[in-house]
Amino acid sequence: QVHLVESGGGSVQAGGSLRLSCTGSGLTYGRGCMGWFRQAPGKAREGVARIDINDRTTYVESVKGRFTISKDDAKNTLLLQMNSLKPEDTAMYYCAADASSWDVCDSPILGRRDYNFWGQGTQVTVSS
């Protein structure tokens, strides 16, 4: 059973923009938050952005000022607007939802994977 589905990935030149979307039956806050992760070839999966049930957002330092996470409740969609893209943003991007622990949503560690549902990923490739 597929709980989350991402879309919106693609190939762009540096400086370009993409908007990722995530939707599905698993798109719930669970114990308070949901987020976006990414994984580049040969690297560990890292947390990119998180939004909680009160719309508080948290970002990894490398994307601050360029990426924006938001939730469209009417469409039950989690969004990640990515502007001023850089080649180092190239990765598979995953959405995660239904936080499974009470403290993951306040944790300064965005990379914690305490979520029950994950999407299959959407590829983002940024060329220089």
Side-chain angles (χ1 to χ4, degrees), residues 98-112:
D98 194 35
S100 57
S101 64
W102 291 111
D103 62 346
V104 65
C105 302
D106 294 320
S107 173
I109 303 173
L110 274 176
R112 285 184 56 175

Side-chain angles (χ1 to χ4, degrees), residues 82-99:
M82 305 187 297
N83 299 327
S84 301
L85 282 161
K86 304 176 180 180
E88 51 264 43
D89 295 318
T90 295
M92 186 73 78
Y93 283 71
Y94 302 88
C95 62
D98 194 35

Side-chain angles (χ1 to χ4, degrees), residues 39-99:
Q39 187 167 17
K43 295 188 176 181
R45 189 172 297 190
E46 68 168 344
V48 175
R50 182 178 67 214
I51 186 167
D52 73 11
I53 199 167
N54 296 310
D55 283 339
R56 290 183 307 173
T57 57
T58 307
Y59 300 91
V60 68
E61 191 63 34
S62 61
V63 309
K64 284 181 180 178
R66 301 189 297 122
F67 290 12
T68 303
I69 186 172
S70 62
K71 175 81 168 10
D72 185 334
D73 290 324
K75 297 181 179 179
N76 192 36
T77 300
L78 180 67
L79 301 168
L80 185 68
Q81 178 66 44
M82 305 187 297
N83 299 327
S84 301
L85 282 161
K86 304 176 180 180
E88 51 264 43
D89 295 318
T90 295
M92 186 73 78
Y93 283 71
Y94 302 88
C95 62
D98 194 35

Side-chain angles (χ1 to χ4, degrees), residues 8-20 66-67 81-91 93 123-128:
S11 296
V12 297
Q13 290 190 327
S17 298
L18 286 172
R19 189 173 78 159
L20 305 184
R66 301 189 297 122
F67 290 12
Q81 178 66 44
M82 305 187 297
N83 299 327
S84 301
L85 282 161
K86 304 176 180 180
E88 51 264 43
D89 295 318
T90 295
Y93 283 71
Q123 179 67 38
V124 171
T125 302
V126 185
S127 58
S128 57

